[in-house]
Amino acid sequence: MPTDRPDAGFTILEVLIALAVVAISVVAIGSVMSTNARGVRTMEDHVALIQSAQTVLASAIPPRKDLAPGAYSGVVWNFRWQVDVGPIGGGWVVDKADLRWLPELVKIRVRAPSGATVNLETVRLMRRPQQ
């Protein structure tokens, strides 16, 4: 088969079209990888924030015998946290009742260095103040 014929090989237009298709494919793959990397980074930041909140929930709240209404705050792993302890509401105090424990609402707020926050709420039983 002779190669010096005018219809042998690719024309410059065919080569340019092939290069354009390859370039578009590379850009599309790069875009998908970039989006994936951002998503992974966001997920890692969220997991770190939740882990910090769990650490605060497990270790920063004083034991039941030392827990009192008020606010506590601190820093763990560069995450700022604040714990607010207060009445749960709803009329839990019953006059002339012999209750030794009262439920208190514990609100936990953890803020990441990036500014993302997570809020958790739980209920802890506290000794009723002596009257």
Side-chain angles (χ1 to χ4, degrees):
M1 184 178 237
T3 58
D4 58 348
R5 293 186 356 220
D7 62 343
F10 297 105
T11 65
I12 190 75
L13 184 60
E14 292 171 331
V15 170
L16 289 175
I17 291 173
L19 285 174
V21 169
V22 169
I24 290 171
S25 299
V26 167
V27 168
I29 290 171
S31 175
V32 168
M33 290 179 65
S34 173
T35 301
N36 187 31
R38 275 193 306 269
V40 167
R41 193 172 25 250
T42 301
M43 185 61 70
E44 287 173 346
D45 291 346
H46 182 72
V47 167
L49 181 61
I50 296 300
Q51 285 176 337
S52 297
Q54 287 177 335
T55 299
V56 169
L57 186 62
S59 63
I61 299 173
R64 184 178 294 155
K65 64 184 171 89
D66 300 328
L67 191 63
Y72 306 90
S73 63
V75 177
V76 60
W77 303 325
N78 290 332
F79 290 81
R80 297 190 146 289
W81 57 267
Q82 181 174 351
V83 175
D84 293 314
V85 180
I88 196 169
W92 286 94
V93 178
V94 180
D95 292 334
K96 300 180 184 177
D98 187 24
L99 299 174
R100 294 185 181 161
W101 299 94
L102 292 174
E104 293 285 331
L105 182 62
V106 179
K107 295 180 182 179
I108 302 157
R109 179 184 174 124
V110 180
R111 183 180 196 99
S114 66
T117 60
V118 65
N119 295 306
L120 302 174
E121 291 184 1
T122 187
V123 175
R124 293 276 172 106
L125 289 176
M126 293 177 44
R127 285 203 178 272
R128 182 177 186 181
Q130 299 297 324
Q131 298 177 350

